[in-house]
Amino acid sequence: MEGSSVFAESGQPRVPRTVRWLVRGVLLALFIAEFVNCVFFCDHDFLWHRNFGQSFIDDQLYVYTGQHYLPARAMFDAATAWIPYRLDRAIWFLAMCAGVAWCTYFWSRIGKEKNENWIGPMAVAVAIAASYIHRDLAECGLQIFLLCLLTAALAALLRNKPSRAGIWLGLATLYKVMPVLFFPYLLWKRQWKAAGWMVATACLVSLLPAVRLGWRENLAAHGKWLRTAAARLAIEDPSENGIEEPALWNRSLPLALARLVQYYPPGHSLHVESPGDLRIATLEPRAAKRFVQISLLALAALLAWRFRHRADFADGGAAIAGEWAMVCVLVAELSPLCWLHHLILAMPAMLLFAQTAAAGRAHRWQWATAGVASLLILLVHRGLLGESVWSVVSAIHPHTLGCLLIGAVALSPGRAGPKPCAAAEPMNALLRHAA
């Protein structure tokens, strides 16, 4: 009978009202639980940055800590440091929830041939990145904010507004230095105007702390930051970052490469007593640093060859989006400190592959690579593996490898001739009605 059909007039599967309300209830409960936990029971990095901002307000910048951040970052942190602490956390949490929702929507819909059935694949990609999102929301979205800046820059570039793209990237570089990687990328892609605005924004905003600190103090603060950065780069041991003690849960790519070849004596924080400890050599620190440098140069050369073509927006930005997503991954992983929540910058690559897969354009190698990456990301957690197994597995930095693999998958737009994935439609319909 017509009334018993499981399809609506539009031809889409009809989801029972009870199921729709159940999904809505579950999503609302998760949001409330996350809000209460992150606002009232967490401190972590957000409190550190709030105190860093307060040191800027109190004219105590760099007196105790924070020399690895630019003075402009202290100014940004000071913007809300005067608000009552828990209210400050609540505002940031809600704003960054909206930010991650916008970034998810943008990266799920990018390209000239948009997949209308994007909700199901988007949900799968978000589920894979859920540990990163949850962990960063515990910090009130400090890395989500960076993701929003980098996403806004790409959105401006796709709208033929290179000046705005450069402004967003300049702010991102002052917020956290590693987005400076986008400057050589813009030059390589012949985006001269965006690159110029990026430099101009970074220089001009760097002058603003002088309003509070004074001109001489602002210059002195930048000089202290430069000396700290130079001292960190001069360290011969590639497992040392000059900021914190080496740790197995640091997902930095240079540390992962060093961990593969460097010898660590018993008692060292990176030493693992297990036959399953994988390494290909036992080099001294100086030789290990050369290995890390050569490996990173080889990666840079490979990506330069892959990015060699001038930026082309005829496909709606699909090609440049894959490259942008890969640079986002490197922004996180090339930082001297890369904690689990920093890897939320790999979410654009996950969403791009989900879109490609849902359209039926993914190659077999993309499916295989994404599958391996998903297993590394989803299964390697301390709560699932236990402390002893986790410490051994973490020595090979599975999250670092997984996000790199996802970035590599996102670089390929897939094969031509889209053929939408019919198996994803029931999930699309359920989530569409629930939303």
Side-chain angles (χ1 to χ4, degrees), residues 122-368:
M122 174 273 295
V124 173
V126 170
I128 295 173
S131 60
Y132 305 152
I133 298 173
H134 166 74
R135 184 64 185 83
D136 195 48
L137 285 177
E139 312 293 351
C140 295
L142 294 176
Q143 303 305 314
I144 294 173
F145 182 70
L146 177 59
L147 176 60
C148 289
L149 292 175
L150 300 180
T151 302
L154 177 59
L157 203 60
L158 296 183
R159 296 190 184 99
N160 196 27
K161 298 184 183 299
S163 58
R164 292 187 184 180
I167 290 172
W168 289 121
L169 289 174
L171 293 175
T173 301
L174 295 175
Y175 183 78
K176 193 170 184 178
V177 178
M178 286 312 299
V180 74
L181 292 175
F182 279 96
F183 179 68
Y185 173 77
L186 291 174
L187 294 179
W188 193 248
K189 303 298 288 188
R190 290 80 159 175
Q191 296 297 307
W192 317 115
K193 189 173 182 180
W197 274 94
M198 180 180 177
V199 173
T201 300
C203 292
L204 290 175
V205 177
S206 293
L207 300 178
L208 294 182
V211 175
R212 174 66 185 177
L213 302 176
W215 178 251
R216 290 185 177 180
E217 287 74 10
N218 189 35
L219 286 177
H222 280 88
K224 185 176 289 187
W225 177 85
L226 281 172
R227 290 191 295 273
T228 301
R232 281 170 39 209
L233 292 174
I235 296 175
E236 285 295 337
D237 189 341
S239 62
E240 297 285 348
N241 53 57
I243 303 172
E244 294 187 9
E245 290 295 322
L248 286 173
W249 47 88
N250 184 357
R251 275 80 181 186
S252 172
L253 179 58
L255 177 61
L257 293 170
R259 184 68 184 75
L260 190 63
V261 299
Q262 188 173 349
Y263 170 73
Y264 302 104
H268 194 282
S269 58
L270 298 180
H271 178 77
V272 176
E273 286 286 354
S274 171
D277 182 19
L278 299 178
R279 69 179 71 223
I280 60 176
T282 53
L283 302 177
E284 293 300 317
R286 184 184 296 269
K289 183 175 182 179
R290 300 299 175 264
F291 172 81
V292 172
Q293 291 172 332
I294 293 171
S295 299
L296 293 179
L297 285 174
L299 176 61
L302 179 62
L303 290 178
W305 179 84
R306 179 60 181 79
F307 298 165
R308 65 191 182 280
H309 300 296
R310 183 186 295 269
D312 183 9
F313 304 104
D315 59 354
I320 195 173
E323 298 175 1
W324 205 270
M326 184 63 184
V327 181
C328 285
V329 172
L330 294 178
V331 166
E333 294 195 353
L334 291 181
S335 297
L337 294 178
C338 178
W339 308 129
L340 187 70
H341 55 291
H342 293 183
L343 295 176
I344 195 173
L345 294 183
M347 196 169 73
M350 300 177 188
L351 291 165
L352 288 177
F353 172 70
Q355 180 183 355
T356 301
R361 299 196 306 267
H363 297 284
R364 289 183 180 179
W365 73 266
Q366 287 178 291
W367 277 109

